[in-house]
Amino acid sequence: MQQSGTRNEQHGLESLGLDGTGKLFWNLNEAALYERSIARGETRLSATGALVADSGAHRHLSEADRYIVREADTEESVDWESANALLRDAFDAFRADFLAHASTRTLFAQDVMADDVPVRVLTEHAWHALTLRNLLRPLDAQAIAGATPRLTLLCVPSFKAEPEKYGVRSATVIAADLAAGLVLIAGTAHAGEIRAALLTALGQMLPDSGTLPLCAAASADEAGDTALFVGLPGTGKSALASADGRVLIADGGLGWRAEGIRALESGAYVRADHLSAEDDPALFAGLARFGTVLENVPLDPESRVPLLGADSPAENPRAALPLAAIRAAASTGHAPRALFLLSCDTTGILPPIARLTPAQAIYHFLSGYSARLPESAAGIEEAQASFAAGFGAPFLATHPARSSALLRPLVAQEGMTCWLVNTGWIGGKAGTGRRVPLETSRRLVAAALDGTLEAGEWRTDPHFGFMVPKAIEGVDARLLDPARSWASRMDYAKTARQLVIRFSNNFARFEGLVDDEVRGAQPSLAIAAE
């Protein structure tokens, strides 16, 4: 292949097996990627300076098309309950055809850092390369000259997989060979797949160094006290972590160990249809800048101004930009003083906040109860209850045994408080109840962080056994006791019993991974019947 740009001459295409008639542009900067992507017809320039791209038919993550090579090295480290397996022979056949096709295309390579892990990404679209420069930390020319990646990812949407030949579901494939540190993406131009695949691979590397990988947001107050918010997409991690005055450390992939928090990403990949200048002026302003990539965001046909927030008619519009362009940001933080597990409860049973013991925190972390939402997943028309161990789906596939072993000493640290926050429904199931207002969640989190909740009165939840505050200034007391907000106490009791049964059935696979204390943190039908 014809190559140009700054690169490590000793570690280039030969290590991948790319050898064909195509072209490869190494480590182009923002302006050069703008030029290439517009000239190639990939993107349009908006009136605000942001680059606007369309990902085509794929607007969401293709979770059913994501695979990990299953072999001896990954048998015990991957949660095969949530990950799709691909046999070695099938992957090798797919890789050979994929690389042969990629060798005939024009590619754009970026050498970047995910925390302290060197990553190389090769993409068929120039705007994908710019997206990765926004989300991860680009290397300077001196560092590039010696860059040797631990993880390499290739995204070639024009290659369509043959399901029968490779033993896959469709023409879209996201396949990770963890032993080789290689990820291949075919048949989709959704930039979120690149990010998700990177987090999946990085999530398998971190436990080897004693680090717990998480999909979470973390922020610190002026004193440097760190709070950690863990939850599935759409549960409010970003909104709760980015309260006024707090310095954002991470919003996406991060690693947690005894010494503190480290961000895997240095940028944000956020939904653009729920944003407004009123709710988050810094983030909203960051969308209107040179270098920002707007994915699936429509433009006004005359003014070419992006249609953002409530004005956006698009499906899953996204924005990729560096955190430094939004607000004060840091890449590391002290060991967190507070852990918030965010659950979007579709049943209306969980209270808007509850205090957890360390054992309860491990139980709810492993359970990962929340919801898959229409705005966050393809093919979903209404909110669906979901159990995703470690709240990691669809990004992380770390085996629960590894996660729970790493989490136990972290939540047991002196001064640590653990909380369960329901950002879902209250007063009834999804469709009949109402969502917990964001301002209410922010008020409760703030009260947990400043100690206001600790000074108040508490009750024991009759179904789950955790502690729930009875009152907090500025919050309707009926929200704190879900039973009081239901129209029918009988319907509430029946739904609560059904939820307890679902928790118990889901946790059965974790019984042998935890000790008696964590097993004792489970809700029981006897309690729910009271």
Side-chain angles (χ1 to χ4, degrees), residues 422-447:
N422 173 23
T423 61
W425 277 261
I426 203 83
K429 299 179 181 179
T432 58
R434 63 189 181 100
R435 288 292 295 268
V436 177
L438 175 59
E439 285 308 312
T440 296
S441 297
R442 283 176 168 165
R443 177 73 187 92
L444 292 171
V445 166

Side-chain angles (χ1 to χ4, degrees), residues 1-3 13-14 16-22 99-104 107:
M1 298 182 74
Q2 299 180 36
Q3 302 180 63
L13 297 182
E14 298 76 15
L16 289 174
L18 285 171
D19 184 16
T21 60
L99 293 178
H101 176 84
S103 295
T104 68
L107 303 177

Side-chain angles (χ1 to χ4, degrees), residues 314-340:
E315 180 182 357
N316 196 25
R318 292 278 176 171
L321 67 166
L323 287 177
I326 306 172
R327 56 176 66 87
S331 60
T332 62
H334 298 304
R337 300 293 300 277
L339 168 65
F340 295 92

Side-chain angles (χ1 to χ4, degrees), residues 207-225:
D208 293 336
S209 62
T211 301
L212 176 65
L214 295 171
C215 288
S219 59
D221 61 18
E222 293 181 354
D225 289 338

Side-chain angles (χ1 to χ4, degrees), residues 82-432:
S82 62
N84 300 314
L86 192 63
L87 298 179
R88 165 59 63 187
D89 289 347
F91 177 83
D92 288 346
F94 172 71
R95 171 181 173 171
D97 292 346
F98 179 98
L99 293 178
H101 176 84
S103 295
T104 68
R105 313 296 293 181
T106 296
L107 303 177
F108 300 86
Q110 292 288 321
D111 286 304
V112 291
M113 295 292 290
D115 187 22
D116 59 355
V117 178
V119 177
R120 178 168 292 165
V121 181
L122 295 91
T123 64
E124 189 176 15
H125 295 328
W127 71 270
H128 282 162
L130 179 56
T131 297
L132 266 294
R133 286 182 67 89
N134 284 342
L135 298 182
L136 302 179
R137 177 166 57 86
L139 300 180
D140 58 29
Q142 182 177 356
I144 288 172
T148 302
R150 287 183 58 196
L151 176 62
T152 301
L153 184 147
L154 290 87
C155 179
V156 182
S158 64
F159 182 75
K160 310 298 182 183
E162 300 176 41
E164 293 185 1
K165 183 176 183 179
Y166 311 122
V168 294
R169 190 187 72 96
S170 73
T172 299
V173 173
I174 304 96
D177 181 356
L178 298 176
L182 178 65
V183 179
L184 306 178
I185 299 177
T188 174
H190 179 39
E193 292 289 9
I194 304 176
R195 176 175 179 258
L198 285 169
L199 293 179
T200 298
L202 291 168
Q204 292 300 311
M205 295 179 177
L206 295 180
D208 293 336
S209 62
T211 301
L212 176 65
L214 295 171
C215 288
S219 59
D221 61 18
E222 293 181 354
D225 289 338
T226 302
L228 184 57
F229 302 83
V230 181
L232 294 182
T235 54
K237 298 187 296 292
S238 303
L240 295 177
S242 60
D244 290 344
R246 299 191 66 83
V247 176
L248 196 63
I249 299 167
D251 188 5
L254 60 80
W256 181 16
R257 57 189 306 165
E259 293 79 10
I261 297 292
R262 297 187 68 89
L264 301 181
E265 302 170 284
S266 54
Y269 184 70
V270 298
R271 288 187 63 92
D273 56 347
H274 294 164
L275 299 176
S276 69
E278 292 74 24
D279 288 340
D280 197 329
L283 178 55
F284 194 80
L287 307 186
R289 59 177 288 279
F290 179 84
T292 293
V293 177
L294 300 178
E295 181 180 0
N296 302 325
V297 173
L299 293 176
D300 182 278
E302 295 185 6
S303 68
R304 299 180 70 86
V305 171
L307 300 178
L308 299 166
D311 294 331
S312 177
E315 180 182 357
N316 196 25
R318 292 278 176 171
L321 67 166
L323 287 177
I326 306 172
R327 56 176 66 87
S331 60
T332 62
H334 298 304
R337 300 293 300 277
L339 168 65
F340 295 92
L341 301 179
L342 307 185
S343 174
C344 182
D345 177 24
T346 62
T347 69
I349 297 301
L350 296 182
I353 195 167
R355 187 174 63 192
L356 305 176
T357 66
Q360 288 172 335
I362 295 170
Y363 173 80
H364 285 279
F365 178 82
L366 286 175
S367 297
Y369 171 68
S370 193
R372 300 174 75 235
L373 303 172
E375 59 266 28
S376 301
I380 295 178
E381 296 182 359
E382 60 184 21
Q384 298 179 357
S386 170
F387 288 91
F391 298 95
F395 305 110
L396 300 178
T398 311
H399 195 282
R402 304 181 85 191
S403 297
S404 59
L406 291 167
L407 180 64
R408 187 59 186 259
L410 295 174
V411 296
Q413 293 183 94
E414 184 177 357
M416 179 71 160
T417 60
C418 302
W419 308 85
L420 182 69
V421 176
N422 173 23
T423 61
W425 277 261
I426 203 83
K429 299 179 181 179
T432 58

Side-chain angles (χ1 to χ4, degrees), residues 479-496:
L479 290 179
L480 298 175
D481 186 356
R484 295 175 57 190
S485 60
W486 277 62
S488 167
R489 285 291 185 116
M490 184 177 297
D491 288 344
Y492 168 80
K494 179 181 178 181
T495 304

